[in-house]
Amino acid sequence: EYQNVEALMVQFCRVPLLAEFSRPVSLLHPELMTVYSKVVRHPIDLSKVCRGIRRKTYKNTRDIRMDMWRIFANCVKYHTHPSNKDNAVPAFISIALHLREYFNALWEEFMMPSDPPLALRSGNKLPRGSLAAQMKKAFENREKGRQQRVASTCTTMLSSKCLQRLKKSIENFQKSGGIVDCLDKTEIFGPDIEDEEGEMEGFLEMLNSLKAKLKKTIENDTEYTFDELNTDVKKCYADIFPSRPTLRVTVENRMSRLIGKIVVPIYETGCRGVNQSSIWGCMAAAIWARESTKKPYWPALVLGIMAPEEQREDWHNALTLRNEGRLPEKLRTELLVGKRRAEQALKRQMNLGAHEQMSFFLVEFMGTHEFIWVKESDIIESLDPDDDPNQASIHGNITKKKRSRLADSKTFMAALDEGRWALEEFEMQLSDSCGDLAEEALNQEDEMNYSYAILCQSDDDNESEDEEDMTLSDIEESNELLQTAGILDFSTEGRKAIKKRALARRKEKANAERAAAKREKDQQAKKAKAEASKKRTKARLESQSKRKQEKEREKQEKKEQRELEKRRKKRVRERERVLKAESRKKKRVSSKGSLVESKLSEKSGRASAIVRGYLTRIAKKEDLKNLCIAGVLNIPASVVDSQGILGMALAFRAAAGEFPMPDSGTDVSRYNEWDKYDIDNPKTSKERTKNLRKQLEMLEERILETKSGTERRLELTVTALEEQAKNEAFALEQDRKAKRMIMSREKHKSKAKSSKSDQSTVSKSDDEGEEKDNVLVGTIVDGHASEDSKITVVEVVSSSLQDSGDAVEAEAAVAMEGEDADHVMEVNAVDVDDMEDDDDMEEDDAEDVEAVVAGSD
């Protein structure tokens, strides 16, 4: 936006009317400050605005526009204020209004994008006073201003410099993809934009043709009016986009803004007034005019035209309205009577159908600066200061005395001079219809240069002034500036209207404040109601939540109680099960003990217990000689069945390492997993070290595995030894029980038999004594004597027990599996006299058991 604002100010500062606005009034006219400071509360000048734009101190474009409007409003206010009637200059009012209009036109073209926002294109009704409605109105006003400028400049001849600027603008438009300036965000053509039907190519070709025509016009220096330019521009896009109306509208908006930037300065040049007019009126011609046939002709300027309908042109009404707007309020009111008479006369002519219809002209007489509407018959079109029509003989109604008195009048002579100067200035305006001469004057560095670059320079005297705070009236004045686009009407009616609008704004503001207060109050009440409702809802929800939580808690407690009861019952069942299991175990143990006791009550059970105890003691002492199994140990391995008990025993002992395994004669190399890492062949020490580290890691892992295996074997060995000790203790305990049982029975029977022995004969008792001492030890049949196996039976018989019929037989049968025979061992044991302790028991066992047939482990 700052870029466009600077471009706007550069163009605006080319106007040769800024001398009185370029610096503060306190520097240009210090003698006026007494009255000026009372009338104007917030003085501002153009240089201050330019410095603010160059330094980018403005926060938004609204402030820039407000400061520019205030420059022109201060001028109008000073020259229309009642306290400044003596120093008021109406021409300054016209210049200020002209500059305001020019600035607003530039603002519409430089500070508004080519395309209106999407919200404004829908055609929907917008809320009154909304930002969208204001934007829509701004775009509508820009379109109306364009139409007015086109109508006023249609016959203007475009200069070569103007055509060159236009040609350069079109070239930039083509290079940027259809963007006029930075306010246009989207491109409408380019390499990245599709053009399937080739319509955009046709548009670009038309633009190239227009550039060629402009170039040819510049080179040949031919006449080229703005009307022709407008027609040629419309031809570029009028018939090019029949199937894409949206794109056609976009192209039209872009081209209209492109041309608008060119036509605004041209229109401003055509609207400039002449300095000889008291109101800086924009003259249409310099003529001789008179008030009536009884009045002499006087040099005058045509400021307005009211022609019949057949002769009327668009610029007639525009010129009249422009100059009427520059008239003071009182004078404008007085001229309304003459204007109404002229309108009535035109209507009568049209109703009567007169062949020669006359026009009416608003003229300003030079010298006296009086304004009046005159009819066409009271004017002479061309003003020649050297040719006085009052001196001609054809006008005989003026006496020679009056003619000579008029010619010698100082006022008339001053009027002739002003008419001459007005003609010269008018000729300069006609020759410089595009403002090129004024632009060339600005390019020259002199004291009268008021370009944007010069005005941006520092001004210490101007910068030292402090701004005063805005009052309520100043704020109302700012609101009026915004509402009227920078124009303040300080006339009586205007001030009344301003007060009325200010009152309406204050009333609207008060209503808005009341409405806002009411809305706020309603919102607060609604909010309070909502808060109360929210609190009630919250309380209700909390109570519901509490009830729900209580229910959940009760439910949870019941559930926990059920779970506790369930777990208690489960524990009871488990306890009962454990107790039952323990009772069953005790029963099993008791039954096992009873079973053992029942087995000990039998002869075979007692014999087995005695044999086990005997073998356990022999095994603990490792005295294998008493087992008489030397012949069995010498059995060749070839005759041992590997699936029999002996073969399995030998295999277990060999696996335990008690004797070496037979050599199969095969050398099977064992593969170690760390051998896959080569530590000799790699060339670099880094690789060898790496492989060696991997081997060490694997060896450490193997060592840890071996250690853990060893520890596990040791634990199992300890467990096995404990079990072995338990089994040995159990076997010895059973052995002692069996012997005690035999001993107790024999003692009981011996007491019973002692009474009977008295009645028996001495011979019989002697025979019994011999039989008691006679112990058959038995014989061992060598299992290697023949191929057939034999059964060796060793019987130990106590004669006393046999005679009485109560002898105890202990039979132990060990099945020995060989290749060809089975060995069976039977042991018959006799009673034992005394078993006091373990040593006596071992001696008695050695004496009582004379022969044992033993097998292998």
Side-chain angles (χ1 to χ4, degrees), residues 201-229:
E201 292 182 0
F203 171 66
L204 295 177
E205 290 179 359
M206 295 297 293
L207 286 181
N208 293 330
S209 301
L210 178 60
K211 287 194 302 182
K213 184 176 182 179
L214 294 176
K215 182 179 179 181
K216 185 177 180 180
T217 303
I218 294 170
E219 292 176 352
N220 298 334
D221 194 17
T222 57
E223 295 183 354
Y224 192 68
T225 62
F226 180 77
D227 191 21
E228 295 176 348
L229 172 64

Side-chain angles (χ1 to χ4, degrees), residues 488-736:
L488 292 179
D489 188 1
F490 293 101
S491 63
T492 304
E493 295 180 358
R495 285 194 295 269
K496 289 180 180 180
I498 291 174
K499 290 181 179 179
K500 187 176 180 180
R501 285 193 293 269
L503 182 61
R505 281 194 296 270
R506 285 197 296 269
K507 187 176 180 181
E508 184 178 357
K509 184 178 179 181
N511 293 334
E513 290 177 353
R514 284 195 296 271
K518 185 177 179 181
R519 284 196 302 270
E520 185 177 0
K521 186 177 180 180
D522 293 341
Q523 289 178 358
Q524 290 178 355
K526 189 176 180 181
K527 188 176 180 181
K529 187 176 180 180
E531 289 292 336
S533 177
K534 189 175 180 181
K535 288 181 180 179
R536 290 194 299 271
T537 304
K538 186 177 180 181
R540 186 173 64 256
L541 292 176
E542 287 178 354
S543 62
Q544 291 178 359
S545 178
K546 287 181 180 179
R547 289 196 297 270
K548 188 175 180 181
Q549 289 177 0
E550 290 177 357
K551 290 181 179 179
E552 290 291 336
R553 188 164 53 252
E554 293 176 358
K555 187 177 180 181
Q556 189 67 21
E557 289 177 356
K558 291 181 180 179
K559 185 177 180 181
E560 290 177 357
Q561 290 177 358
R562 287 196 299 270
E563 292 292 334
L564 290 174
E565 184 68 20
K566 189 175 180 181
R567 287 197 293 269
R568 188 185 65 78
K569 291 180 179 180
K570 185 177 180 181
R571 286 195 299 271
V572 170
R573 288 195 299 271
E574 289 179 355
R575 180 64 179 169
E576 291 176 353
R577 188 167 57 253
V578 170
L579 293 175
K580 289 180 181 179
E582 289 179 356
S583 64
R584 284 196 298 269
K585 186 176 180 181
K586 289 180 180 179
K587 287 181 181 180
R588 284 197 300 269
V589 171
S590 62
S591 63
K592 185 176 180 181
S594 62
L595 181 61
V596 173
E597 294 294 335
S598 64
K599 286 183 179 181
L600 291 177
S601 63
E602 298 176 357
K603 293 181 180 180
S604 61
R606 292 193 295 274
S608 298
I610 293 170
V611 171
R612 287 192 189 95
Y614 177 74
L615 292 176
T616 300
R617 287 189 293 273
I618 292 299
K620 288 176 70 175
K621 295 180 179 181
E622 297 182 355
D623 185 8
L624 302 179
K625 292 181 181 181
N626 294 329
L627 295 177
C628 302
I629 60 175
V632 179
L633 294 177
N634 292 327
I635 298 174
S638 60
V639 299
V640 178
D641 186 6
S642 61
Q643 296 182 353
I645 295 177
L646 182 60
M648 294 176 66
L650 293 174
F652 280 116
R653 290 175 66 87
E658 294 185 5
F659 54 85
M661 290 287 292
D663 189 8
S664 61
T666 59
D667 184 13
V668 181
S669 61
R670 186 176 179 183
Y671 173 73
N672 296 321
E673 56 184 359
W674 53 77
D675 292 338
K676 64 181 180 181
Y677 296 105
D678 190 3
I679 60 174
D680 298 327
N681 293 330
K683 296 181 180 181
T684 60
S685 60
K686 185 177 181 181
E687 295 179 359
R688 293 195 296 273
T689 303
K690 183 178 179 181
N691 294 338
L692 184 58
R693 286 178 179 172
K694 291 182 178 179
Q695 284 189 353
L696 290 174
E697 291 176 358
M698 298 184 71
L699 285 171
E700 290 176 355
E701 292 178 359
R702 181 58 62 84
I703 289 170
L704 293 176
E705 292 177 358
T706 305
K707 287 183 178 180
S708 63
T710 302
E711 293 175 357
R712 178 62 178 165
R713 286 193 292 273
L714 291 175
E715 293 176 358
L716 295 175
T717 302
V718 171
T719 304
L721 291 174
E722 291 176 355
E723 293 294 330
Q724 181 183 0
K726 290 180 181 180
N727 293 333
E728 289 175 355
F730 180 74
L732 294 174
E733 180 67 24
Q734 294 298 316
D735 181 24
R736 282 192 293 271

Side-chain angles (χ1 to χ4, degrees), residues 13 22-23 47 50-51 54 442 444-459:
C13 292
S22 61
R23 294 290 186 270
S47 61
C50 292
R51 284 194 302 272
R54 175 60 61 87
L442 286 175
Q444 298 176 2
E445 296 183 0
D446 53 13
E447 296 181 355
M448 301 302 292
N449 191 339
Y450 300 105
S451 64
Y452 176 72
I454 297 298
L455 293 175
C456 288
Q457 295 177 1
S458 298
D459 191 346

Side-chain angles (χ1 to χ4, degrees), residues 248-316:
R248 180 187 177 281
V249 172
T250 302
V251 172
E252 182 179 2
N253 293 335
R254 301 286 175 90
M255 293 301 297
S256 297
R257 185 159 172 253
L258 179 69
I259 300 301
K261 287 186 174 184
I262 303 297
V263 73
V264 168
I266 299 174
Y267 177 76
E268 184 274 330
T269 303
C271 293
R272 292 176 190 171
V274 292
N275 295 325
Q276 284 69 35
S277 173
S278 61
I279 62 169
W280 201 66
C282 181
M283 60 177 289
I287 60 173
W288 290 98
R290 63 183 179 183
E291 298 180 18
S292 63
T293 55
K294 297 180 179 181
K295 298 288 185 178
Y297 285 98
W298 202 270
L301 303 179
V302 177
L303 303 181
I305 303 174
M306 190 182 300
E309 188 174 355
E310 294 82 3
Q311 304 174 9
R312 191 176 303 168
E313 298 181 10
D314 295 336
W315 64 273
H316 292 168

Side-chain angles (χ1 to χ4, degrees), residues 286-290 297 376-383 389 395:
I287 60 173
W288 290 98
R290 63 183 179 183
Y297 285 98
E376 188 177 358
S377 59
D378 292 332
I379 66 169
I380 300 175
E381 293 185 359
S382 60
L383 174 63
H395 301 287

